[in-house]
């Protein structure tokens, strides 16, 4: 028995190392390219465009970070500490903007504010008020900050809400006894205690900002991601694109390090496991209660209801010309690709996590967690990092076959699925890891002591116990893949579209109203995991 157990441990560990190497190869490929010479257009880009890439990327990071901090923390504090009309609905409604890809949010707001939009039409028809152009010009840096902020603030909101809810009611009582009011308790106790949550949420927002391509491209803001596309597709200089990707990767790694560094070794716990959570209170004045309701409603209207209504309006005008058999095929292809990739992510995550459970080697835990690093790397960088080794493999295959068979790997959906796995491994890994932690390791030990092999124990015992976690992982990964734009634009086969790329192509070709049909499918699909996520948080609370 001991021999067979050791054999399986070695086999699982060896498989995990192979998977890890495959997942990390794109990241290391990009980093190693920093030591190579850049392409022929690098001198031009470094002297004329690179400063604007740095400045615009920094301004976006800073602006979106500040706005998402203000909105996310304030909304989390209101729904966690106060009772007011509609609070239990706003708890989950304020998460819905996550279902809206930022570039689709941008298209909607341009349509809302333009001359033919609903606001100007209403003012012209009812008050004879006319504007020469859009009411507010958002096709600039402030507009990009606004769009990215209202679509990404739920990252900060969700994490801070959970942190505020876990804080002890004893701290509240002690603060009040010492003469503090609610605002003082928030600024001096609650917010400092939630510092790791705030930093983690803003770090996630920053990574999404650096990953964004659709919004900055449409709004004419030059960032590193748009620079990678320009170097590759406009200049045809893949080496310069790789060099820009390497610089962007270093920036992201620095952000990750800063987020971990700010935590240090300090303890941010509010108490032991038996500590009672904070208690919500009703504001004394009814006007204050309705003010909190109005604030939440304004945020919800701006970040979700207004842009969604614009999509529905456009769809009502154009669906007869867009929704046909080809549109049905587009949905089928997009869903099939996303589901297949999500299932692959779930299978690999299960393999890695089960390796941790079986292996007595301490470093397997760190190796498996490293596999989820790709989520922090922008999609355009992952695409470049995957393309390079795949093109090398294609050349090797052509050399071995002594025949020019073309691009076997780099020109197919296979490379796209590999890139999705690298990019979204963390989504499936974290969800399934939560399921494994709930079941504990004692079940495995009992089964194996009765003679069951590791694989049989996994199939018959562990998988049935974590089936809901697996379903959640597949669902979350599916929606993230469905929304992914920059990675898909670079790696998709010729003339192959997903819902995201189709919406982007139509919008950039001045067919914004027609693009709403694909956008609406993506947004409504994204609402499903938001509801699931809210239920998970509510059960924990």
């Amino acid at each position: 028995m001991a021999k067979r157990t050791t054999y399986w441990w070695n086999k699982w560990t060896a498989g995990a190392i192979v998977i890890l190497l495959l997942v990390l190869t794109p990241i290391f490929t990009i980093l190693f390219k920093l030591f190579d010479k850049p392409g022929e257009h690098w001198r031009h880009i470094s002297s004329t465009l690179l400063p604007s890439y740095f400045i615009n990327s920094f301004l976006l990071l800073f602006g979106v970070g500040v706005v998402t901090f203000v909105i996310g923390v304030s909304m989390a504090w209101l729904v966690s500490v106060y009772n007011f009309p509609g609070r239990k609905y706003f708890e989950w409604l304020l998460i819905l903007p996550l279902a809206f890809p930022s570039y689709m949010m941008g298209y909607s707001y341009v349509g809302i504010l333009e001359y033919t939009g609903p606001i100007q039409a209403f003012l012209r028809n009812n008050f004879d008020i006319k504007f020469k152009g859009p009411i507010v010009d958002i096709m600039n840096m402030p507009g990009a900050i606004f769009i990215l902020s209202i679509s990404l603030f739920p990252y900060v909101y969700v994490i801070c809400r959970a942190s505020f809810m876990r804080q002890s009611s004893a701290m509240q009582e002690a603060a009040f006894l010492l003469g503090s009011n609610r605002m003082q308790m928030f600024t001096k106790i609650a917010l400092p205690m939630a510092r790791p949550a705030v930093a983690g949420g803003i770090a996630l927002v920053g990574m999404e900002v650096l990953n964004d391509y659709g919004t900055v491209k449409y709004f004419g803001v030059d960032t590193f991601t748009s620079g990678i596309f320009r170097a590759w597709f406009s200049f045809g200089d893949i080496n310069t694109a790789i060099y820009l990707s390497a610089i962007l990767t270093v920036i992201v790694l620095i952000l990750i390090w800063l987020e971990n560094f700010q935590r240090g070794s300090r303890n941010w716990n509010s108490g032991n496991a038996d500590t009672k959570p904070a208690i919500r209170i009703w504001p004394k004045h009814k006007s204050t209660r309705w003010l909190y309701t109005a604030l939440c409603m304004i945020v919800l209207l701006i970040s979700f209801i207004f842009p969604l209504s614009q999509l529905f309006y456009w769809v009502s005008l154009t669906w007869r010309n867009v929704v046909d058999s080809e549109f049905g095929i587009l949905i089928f292809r997009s869903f099939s690709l996303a589901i297949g990739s999500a299932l692959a992510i779930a299978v690999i995550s299960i393999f890695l996590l089960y390796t941790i459970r079986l292996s007595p080697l301490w470093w397997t835990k760190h190796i498996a967690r490293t596999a989820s690093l790709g989520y922090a790397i922008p999609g355009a960088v992952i695409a470049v990092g995957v393309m390079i080794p795949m093109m090398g493999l294609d050349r090797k295959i052509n050399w071995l076959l002594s025949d020019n068979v073309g691009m076997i790997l780099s020109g197919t959906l296979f490379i796209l699925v590999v890139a999705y796995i690298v990019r979204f491994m963390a989504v499936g890994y974290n969800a399934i890891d939560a399921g494994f932690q709930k079941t504990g390791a004692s079940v495995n030990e009992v089964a194996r002591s009765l003679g069951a092999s590791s694989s049989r124990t996994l199939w018959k015992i562990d998988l049935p116990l974590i089936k809901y976690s697996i379903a959640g992982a597949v669902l979350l990964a599916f929606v993230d893949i469905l929304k992914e734009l920059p990675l898909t634009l670079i790696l998709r086969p010729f003339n192959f579209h997903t819902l995201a790329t189709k919406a982007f192509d139509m919008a950039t070709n001045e067919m914004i109203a027609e693009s709403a049909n694909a956008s609406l499918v993506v947004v409504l699909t994204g609402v499903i995991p938001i509801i699931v996520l809210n239920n998970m948080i509510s059960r924990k609370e």
Side-chain angles (χ1 to χ4, degrees):
M1 180 67 191
K3 262 188 178 180
R4 193 169 81 176
T5 302
T6 304
Y7 165 74
W8 272 104
W9 274 348
N10 290 338
K11 185 175 180 179
W12 285 88
T13 305
I17 293 174
V18 171
I19 292 173
L20 179 70
L21 291 174
L22 292 175
V23 171
L24 293 182
T25 294
I27 301 173
F28 287 130
T29 299
I30 290 295
L31 290 176
F32 287 149
K33 288 296 180 178
L34 269 177
F35 302 99
D36 292 345
K37 290 183 179 180
E40 58 183 3
H41 291 87
W42 172 252
R43 180 173 296 181
H44 165 69
I45 289 178
S46 62
S47 61
T48 59
L49 298 174
L50 192 61
S52 65
Y53 294 163
F54 273 108
I55 294 171
N56 291 338
S57 297
F58 173 78
L59 290 176
L60 275 179
L61 284 172
F62 179 78
V64 175
V66 170
V67 177
T68 53
F69 168 80
V70 172
I71 299 176
V73 173
S74 60
M75 292 298 103
W77 178 251
L78 288 183
V79 301
S80 302
V81 175
Y82 295 102
N83 263 320
F84 52 88
R87 181 202 58 78
K88 66 178 182 179
Y89 300 107
F90 287 119
E91 272 190 332
W92 65 272
L93 286 173
L94 288 172
I95 312 175
L96 291 180
L98 280 180
F100 230 116
S102 55
Y103 55 95
M104 295 180 182
M105 185 88 72
Y107 306 155
S108 297
Y109 263 98
V110 170
I112 290 172
L113 298 173
E114 68 181 357
Y115 181 80
T116 57
I119 297 178
Q120 291 209 43
F122 176 79
L123 294 175
R124 282 196 306 269
N125 296 335
N126 294 277
F127 302 99
D128 198 29
I129 299 175
K130 299 179 181 179
F131 295 85
K132 293 183 178 179
I135 298 176
V136 180
D137 183 15
I138 63 170
M139 301 290 285
N140 45 40
M141 174 65 74
I145 291 174
F146 168 73
I147 294 298
L148 288 168
S149 298
I150 61 175
S151 60
L152 297 177
F153 83 86
Y155 282 112
V156 179
Y157 164 77
V158 169
I159 298 175
C160 290
R161 171 188 155 197
S163 177
F164 290 144
M165 287 298 298
R166 287 196 301 266
Q167 292 183 4
S168 169
S169 61
M171 287 195 308
Q172 290 184 355
E173 295 167 3
F176 292 145
L177 287 174
L178 292 173
S180 297
N181 56 33
R182 282 277 166 181
M183 181 56 65
Q184 290 173 325
M185 192 191 75
F186 169 72
T187 56
K188 296 184 177 181
I189 298 176
L191 188 58
M193 289 295 298
R195 177 176 161 183
V198 173
I202 292 178
L204 283 174
V205 168
M207 293 171 192
E208 290 297 325
V209 169
L210 291 176
N211 177 59
D212 180 79
Y213 173 68
T215 308
V216 296
K217 168 68 175 176
Y218 190 68
F219 280 56
V221 178
D222 285 332
T223 62
F224 272 97
T225 304
S226 61
I228 293 169
F229 275 82
R230 180 180 288 113
W232 194 327
F233 294 104
S234 298
F235 296 153
D237 189 346
I238 188 171
N239 290 330
T240 297
I242 293 169
Y243 212 70
L244 289 171
S245 300
I247 295 174
L248 182 54
T249 302
V250 171
I251 293 173
V252 171
L253 293 177
I254 290 173
L255 285 178
I256 297 172
W257 177 81
L258 288 173
E259 195 276 328
N260 285 302
F261 176 78
Q262 65 85 29
R263 300 189 186 203
S265 58
R266 288 163 289 189
N267 187 3
W268 302 90
N269 293 331
S270 59
N272 57 40
D274 298 325
T275 302
K276 292 182 180 180
I279 300 172
R280 294 188 183 96
I281 63 168
W282 286 93
K284 293 181 180 180
H285 303 289
K286 285 187 177 181
S287 59
T288 305
R289 301 173 189 176
W290 285 106
L291 174 63
Y292 293 162
T293 301
L295 289 174
C296 292
M297 179 57 72
I298 290 171
V299 172
L300 181 64
L301 286 170
I302 293 174
S303 63
F304 188 74
I305 294 178
F306 285 164
L308 183 66
S309 300
Q310 182 65 29
L311 288 185
F312 272 111
Y313 172 70
W314 277 334
V315 169
S316 68
L317 298 177
T318 61
W319 71 270
R320 291 179 179 84
N321 300 324
V322 176
V323 180
D324 51 17
S325 58
E326 290 187 6
F327 189 76
I329 294 173
L330 176 67
I331 294 176
F332 175 76
R333 286 178 177 173
S334 302
F335 277 47
S336 300
L337 180 61
I339 291 173
S341 303
L343 288 172
I345 289 171
V347 170
I348 294 173
S349 298
I350 292 169
F351 190 96
L352 291 174
L353 286 163
Y354 203 58
T355 300
I356 296 173
R357 176 167 289 202
L358 292 178
S359 177
L361 304 174
W362 61 270
W363 47 266
T364 55
K365 181 177 182 179
H366 299 287
I367 279 186
R369 288 195 176 277
T370 307
S372 61
L373 183 63
Y375 191 72
I377 307 299
V381 175
I382 295 292
V384 174
V386 171
M387 176 69 78
I388 296 169
M390 288 296 178
M391 291 174 65
L393 282 175
D394 276 339
R395 286 193 292 268
K396 292 289 185 183
I397 292 172
N398 279 273
W399 179 79
L400 289 173
L401 297 177
S402 299
D403 187 17
N404 188 17
V405 295
M407 296 183 295
I408 300 174
L409 300 177
S410 54
T412 65
L413 290 178
F414 173 78
I415 189 174
L416 198 54
V417 173
V418 171
Y420 286 147
I421 292 172
V422 176
R423 175 84 170 91
F424 298 110
M425 175 64 68
V427 177
Y429 183 93
N430 292 333
I432 296 174
D433 186 27
F436 269 118
Q437 289 181 11
K438 288 181 181 178
T439 60
S442 58
V443 178
N444 294 85
E445 295 170 359
V446 171
R448 289 166 58 207
S449 67
L450 295 173
S453 65
S454 302
S455 55
R456 182 174 177 82
T457 302
L458 173 64
W459 186 256
K460 294 291 185 179
I461 297 177
D462 287 286
L463 292 184
L465 289 175
I466 63 169
K467 59 184 179 182
Y468 294 112
S469 296
I470 296 173
V474 172
L475 183 60
L476 292 171
F478 163 77
V479 173
D480 273 345
I481 292 169
L482 197 65
K483 296 190 297 182
E484 174 62 32
L485 179 65
L487 186 153
T488 312
L489 281 174
I490 293 176
L491 296 180
R492 59 177 174 159
F494 177 73
N495 207 25
F496 180 89
H497 276 293
T498 64
L499 288 165
T501 61
K502 189 67 174 179
F504 176 78
D505 281 355
M506 296 180 80
T508 52
N509 289 322
E510 302 301 328
M511 300 174 65
I512 300 180
E514 289 79 2
S515 74
N517 295 271
S519 299
L520 187 62
V521 175
V522 174
V523 172
L524 295 181
T525 305
V527 169
I528 299 173
I530 300 300
I531 297 173
V532 173
L533 176 63
N534 176 73
N535 291 335
M536 291 170 60
I537 296 173
S538 299
R539 283 199 298 269
K540 289 180 181 179
E541 291 174 357

